[in-house]
Amino acid sequence: MDNPLLSLDPEDAMRRVEDWKARADALAANALAASERLQALTATASDDNGTVTITVDADGIMTKIELSHRVQKQSAHFTEDAVMEVYRAAQAKLAEAAKEVVADSVGPGSATGRALMAGYERRLERLDEPGEHREERR
């Protein structure tokens, strides 16, 4: 296989190498920016009647829970179910926000974008492994 740089004059070869380096530097900068934006993400979700509101951090971990005065008028079982449902909804919003960050910064179809999303999705999947964070009700 012929090396296209060897068939160019030295100035053209140098220009191509500099162009390649500039593209590589830009890709690296975009990947770093995307990673930093992913680490700064948060998401908040609420149930339909505003009884439960939950915020999660970039790792999908609950950082804030707000319960309205209406929880006093409903069963604990209903509140527990609402908390889990809203927690999962906040994590789903987080995943959507992560997809937007990747799409805006490096492109969803790029190798970098796929790698960033794969790592992010693995973190969120670990939170939802059966038996790890919640138990089934009978």
Side-chain angles (χ1 to χ4, degrees):
M1 187 171 195
D2 292 327
N3 185 338
L5 294 179
L6 295 178
S7 63
L8 300 174
D9 68 65
E11 288 179 18
D12 285 342
M14 185 58 81
R15 188 175 60 252
R16 284 189 180 203
V17 168
E18 288 171 358
D19 289 346
W20 175 84
K21 183 182 178 317
R23 285 192 306 275
D25 288 346
L27 285 172
N30 288 343
L32 179 60
S35 179
E36 289 171 352
R37 287 177 59 196
L38 288 172
Q39 290 301 316
L41 284 178
T42 63
T44 301
S46 298
D47 63 343
D48 291 338
N49 59 13
T51 303
V52 176
T53 301
I54 292 177
T55 300
V56 295
D57 66 10
D59 292 322
I61 305 296
M62 186 185 318
T63 59
K64 185 176 183 180
I65 182 169
E66 297 175 49
L67 304 173
S68 79
H69 67 281
R70 288 186 284 259
V71 299
Q72 297 170 353
K73 298 176 184 175
Q74 65 190 24
S75 72
H77 179 77
F78 184 80
T79 300
E80 291 167 0
D81 289 345
V83 166
M84 292 310 298
E85 181 181 318
V86 172
Y87 188 27
R88 286 189 292 275
Q91 290 172 334
K93 279 186 166 184
L94 183 69
E96 286 303 312
K99 287 178 186 176
E100 289 178 25
V101 165
V102 169
D104 290 346
S105 54
V106 294
S110 70
T112 303
R114 289 191 304 272
L116 286 170
M117 282 310 301
Y120 208 79
E121 289 167 353
R122 274 192 304 277
R123 281 193 303 197
L124 294 179
E125 285 172 3
R126 281 194 300 266
L127 293 175
D128 204 29
E129 289 177 359
E132 291 291 315
H133 300 281
R134 64 177 186 261
E135 56 186 68
E136 295 295 321
R137 289 210 182 122
R138 296 176 193 230

